[in-house]
Amino acid sequence: MYMLSSRNHISTSPYDQGLMWVTLILLGFGLVMVYSASIALAEADRATGHQSTYFLVRQAVYIVISLVAAFIAFQIPTQTWQKLAPYLFLAGIAMLIMVLVFGRNVNGSQRWLSLFVFNLQPSEFMKLFAAIYVSDYAIRKAHLMDSITRGFLPMVGVMFVIGLLLLREPDFGAFAVIASISISILWLGGINGKIFAGLLGLLPIAVIGLIWSSPYRLQRVVGFMDPWADPFGKGYQLSHALIAFGRGEWFGVGLGASVEKLLYLPEAHTDFLLAVIAEELGFVGVVTVILLFSWLVLRAFSIGKKAVANERYFSALLAQGIGVWMGVQGIINMGVNMGVLPTKGLTLPLLSYGGSGILANCIALAVLLRIDWENRRIEKGLPV
């Protein structure tokens, strides 16, 4: 009886309320944790005016702007996104080129375009543009997915250009996420199994080559292998992240009571926010975050599956591509914080501080919500 009533509720609801609420919960929880993790940094940094609420206020503004943008994105039909796919992708490439020419250098990385009021990180939007473009490509080239020269290599060439631009910044983490999105969509779109297997076989060689060719990436891997060998050098970030996890134990030391955020753990409000969550809220807090992200990813694939049933294949691939994006970036960030992956410089979607990331994530999830809304309209025989 309960399952029947649940299904009726889902079928009569005009949109996915669960998806909307999980997104809002993650945004709200992230706002609280960003404030907690950034108080000491904000008070110590002269650029913030020593105001403890500096990052809180900016993150709140980013969230409001992102929700407005998400509302606008929700109004755009999926077919329009498909028509805009090549133009958005070209715009993304143009922004990546602009970063290399006019970009702002922060901590040795040139990833941001200064817009005076805030900094724009094009690689965040390139993830969405790549998901849209590759989904459209897989549909347009569906009859060529068995061909290496006509179906596979053109996309490899495009990804090579994106990779070259991102690695020049350098932003290996963003490239890893975009490559994961693209490969997954191509696989879901029906690429030849032998071609896919060959690609997977070449990936480890390519990753090893990229690490070996870059001294800073090699140092990160060395620090990751044994952070305690050089805890004040290459292993500094990871060692303090692990200390935060250790201090948190089961239920944490309490919200706001973290010691590692007191200028010991670098990037506590961005890349290593999960470590602060682990210290303050413990194992329970970390598992809660993992469960929320797992639900989000599974819901994206469920929406994609329903789009396939409605013969809306572009929408299906895009929904699943967004799910791969959230899942892969979340796994990488969590893995880095827990010491099971080398440092990548990736934020935790919807939670970490940063305007570009929050904006791109919210727009992507609005598109996902739109796909589900259209699915429900089609099932009721209504126009989309």
Side-chain angles (χ1 to χ4, degrees), residues 33-235:
M33 294 311 303
V34 163
Y35 178 46
S36 177
S38 65
I39 292 176
L41 176 63
E43 290 179 343
D45 193 344
R46 185 179 301 174
T48 65
H50 305 292
Q51 298 177 357
S52 62
T53 58
Y54 177 83
F55 292 105
L56 170 67
V57 172
R58 291 177 70 86
Q59 184 78 343
V61 171
Y62 293 151
I63 290 175
V64 171
I65 293 173
S66 298
L67 290 176
V68 172
F71 177 79
I72 295 171
F74 178 78
Q75 311 305 316
I76 302 174
T78 309
Q79 288 184 345
T80 302
W81 288 110
Q82 186 173 8
K83 291 176 183 177
L84 292 174
Y87 306 106
L88 292 173
F89 196 71
L90 289 174
I93 293 177
M95 287 195 296
L96 291 179
I97 294 173
M98 289 174 64
V99 166
L100 296 177
V101 178
F102 307 108
R104 181 185 176 192
N105 193 298
V106 179
N107 297 328
S109 297
Q110 194 163 317
R111 304 176 184 176
W112 295 269
L113 286 172
S114 177
L115 300 181
F116 302 105
V117 179
F118 65 94
N119 295 320
L120 184 73
Q121 189 172 357
S123 61
E124 292 293 339
F125 298 95
M126 197 65 215
K127 296 167 188 173
L128 175 60
F129 298 161
I132 295 171
Y133 178 75
V134 180
S135 298
D136 176 58
Y137 180 88
I139 298 302
R140 287 188 291 106
K141 302 290 185 179
H143 61 292
L144 299 175
M145 284 292 104
D146 286 334
S147 172
I148 295 179
T149 56
R150 300 176 64 190
F152 178 66
L153 288 181
M155 181 52 64
V156 170
V158 169
M159 287 300 113
F160 177 80
V161 173
I162 298 300
L164 188 64
L165 293 172
L166 287 171
L167 293 175
R168 286 289 302 275
E169 294 184 5
D171 196 346
F172 181 74
F175 177 57
V177 173
I178 291 172
S180 299
I181 294 169
S182 303
I183 293 170
S184 299
I185 291 175
L186 288 176
W187 168 247
L188 294 167
I191 194 172
N192 183 279
K194 293 181 179 179
I195 297 175
F196 184 74
L199 176 63
L200 292 182
L202 290 173
L203 279 178
I205 299 174
V207 171
I208 292 172
L210 287 171
I211 292 173
W212 195 260
S213 64
S214 173
Y216 96 94
R217 291 193 201 104
L218 188 58
Q219 287 181 359
R220 283 186 171 184
V221 172
V222 171
F224 155 73
M225 296 298 291
D226 187 6
W228 307 109
D230 187 11
F232 299 104
K234 294 186 288 290

Side-chain angles (χ1 to χ4, degrees), residues 22-39 52-64 67 255 261 268-270 273 276-277 280-281 289 348-354 358:
V22 168
T23 300
L24 292 175
I25 288 170
L26 285 169
L27 287 171
F29 180 61
L31 182 63
V32 172
M33 294 311 303
V34 163
Y35 178 46
S36 177
S38 65
I39 292 176
S52 62
T53 58
Y54 177 83
F55 292 105
L56 170 67
V57 172
R58 291 177 70 86
Q59 184 78 343
V61 171
Y62 293 151
I63 290 175
V64 171
L67 290 176
L255 183 63
K261 71 182 182 185
H269 61 309
T270 55
L273 184 65
V276 177
I277 294 173
E280 296 191 348
L281 303 180
V289 171
L348 191 57
L350 298 172
L351 291 174
S352 295
Y353 174 80
I358 294 291

